[in-house]
Structures are given as C-alpha cells and as structure tokens.
Amino acid sequence: MQESCARDVGARCEKFIYDLLEEKVEMPVDKAISTLVRLGIVTQDSLNGHTVLQAVPCFKAYDILKEHWNGLLG
C-alpha cells in the first residue's frame, strides 16, 4: 500500500514539474517521504488498508524545520 501512495506522490510531483517547467523528471520519493515522516512534517496513517499521507500546516512545518535546524547548529 505504501508503494502505491508513494508512486502517486511521485507522479504528482513529476506532473507539477512538467507543467511548470516542461521538463520530464523521475521523482524518487520513498526516501523523501520517509524523511518527511521522521521529521514530523508529514503524517502517515492507514485507512481501509491504504496508506494515507498528510502534510502538516505550513506554519507547523516551519516551526518543526526551524527547531531541527537550530538543533543542528546548537
């Protein structure tokens, strides 16, 4: 189930880049999704046997990234 969800995210990213820049790319998202979940910027749940990814609101993601960055510097 995770794989199909990751493929969907990858396909949407590829379409976005193509629509914006008219450039075809292959978007490897498995590691990216894993990192975003680990950082707490994306949540991952299961619903009816399917994996559901949900981004946290921008202001919360900003705070999470700022704390992580400050932790790396401190």
Side-chain angles (χ1 to χ4, degrees):
M1 294 356 144
Q2 167 70 25
E3 293 166 3
S4 64
C5 186
R7 271 185 275 156
D8 182 46
V9 171
R12 292 173 75 180
C13 290
E14 291 166 8
K15 182 180 178 341
F16 174 78
I17 291 171
Y18 184 80
D19 290 348
L20 186 67
L21 304 172
E22 295 184 1
E23 193 69 37
K24 287 191 176 193
V25 296
E26 281 193 35
M27 188 65 61
V29 295
D30 291 333
K31 278 188 170 181
I33 290 172
S34 175
T35 299
L36 294 172
V37 169
R38 180 177 49 81
L39 289 172
I41 296 171
V42 169
T43 61
Q44 182 176 328
D45 295 307
S46 182
L47 180 65
N48 298 326
H50 293 18
T51 299
V52 177
L53 299 172
Q54 178 68 46
V56 300
C58 288
F59 69 90
K60 186 173 179 181
Y62 170 80
D63 287 339
I64 291 168
L65 290 173
K66 187 172 144 186
E67 281 184 39
H68 183 70
W69 181 255
N70 288 338
L72 293 172
L73 296 176

